[in-house]
Structures are given as structure tokens and as C-alpha cells.
Amino acid sequence: MKLLSNLIGEIGAVVNTLSVSSKEKKQIEADLIAAIARQEEELRRSQAAIIGAEAQGNWLQRSWRPLIMLVFAAIVLVGTFFNLPILDDTSRFWDLLEIGIGGYVIGRSAEKVADRLKGGRK
């Protein structure tokens, strides 16, 4: 905001140096200030659009949880037919799978509840 007020002050100083009537000086200054305000609003809109696009995210950002759970399911399925050391009873894989399933279910449920509270889809 300070930048804009400094810019308006500079515009006023430049307009005052012109050799035209005071009415024309005021009109030129008003026109310049209106043009700057339009450009500032356009800049704000474009910044909001960029922030919105970044918030949308890409496919990987939206799909990492299902992908991880599919990898866990594939490991368990392969371990059914082959002896994988990662699936031993003493392995920490089962703890990781338990945390993953709990986090996935709770996280997804929390997202749905938050969406409903905001008035989204039902």
C-alpha cells in the first residue's frame, strides 16, 4: 500500500510540472491513478489465480495415499506366494501397514467431514 501511495505522489509531482491548466492537470492525474488501480486489481486477480492453480495440485499430490496403499497391498499379495523377509512376524512392515491404513482411513474421513462442514458435496 505504501508503494502505491508513493507512486501516486510521484504522479502528482510529474503532473504538476506540466504546462497545462489546473483542470487538465487534475484530469490527467485522475486518469493515471485510475489506470494504476486497474492494473493493481488485475495483478491481484492473476496472483489469486496462480495461488488457486497451485492449490489444485497435480495428479501425484492428489494420489499419493492410494498409491502407497496399493504398493502395500502388492507387497502382501506377493508375500502370499513367495517368502519375503519384509513380511516376517518380527518385521516392522506390519506396524507401518497398520499406521498407513489407520492414517488413510482417518485422514480420508476427516477430509469428507471437513468438506461437508464447508457445504461441499454430500
Side-chain angles (χ1 to χ4, degrees), residues 70-87:
L70 285 173
V71 169
F72 285 171
I75 290 172
V76 171
L77 182 64
V78 168
T80 304
F81 299 107
F82 301 101
N83 186 18
L84 295 178
I86 196 170
L87 297 179

Side-chain angles (χ1 to χ4, degrees), residues 6-81:
N6 289 342
L7 184 60
I8 290 172
E10 290 291 324
I11 289 172
V14 170
V15 169
N16 286 334
T17 63
L18 298 176
S19 57
V20 292
S21 70
S22 63
K23 183 179 179 183
E24 289 175 323
K25 286 180 183 180
K26 289 184 191 248
Q27 182 61 42
I28 291 170
E29 187 175 355
D31 291 344
L32 289 173
I33 291 171
I36 290 172
R38 284 192 304 272
Q39 291 301 316
E40 182 184 25
E41 184 59 35
E42 181 63 33
L43 179 62
R44 282 189 187 143
R45 273 191 251 123
S46 65
Q47 287 174 339
I50 289 170
I51 291 170
E54 289 174 352
Q56 294 278 324
N58 62 24
W59 176 83
L60 185 59
Q61 288 173 323
R62 291 188 308 268
S63 304
W64 69 272
R65 285 182 297 200
L67 287 174
I68 288 176
M69 296 313 294
L70 285 173
V71 169
F72 285 171
I75 290 172
V76 171
L77 182 64
V78 168
T80 304
F81 299 107

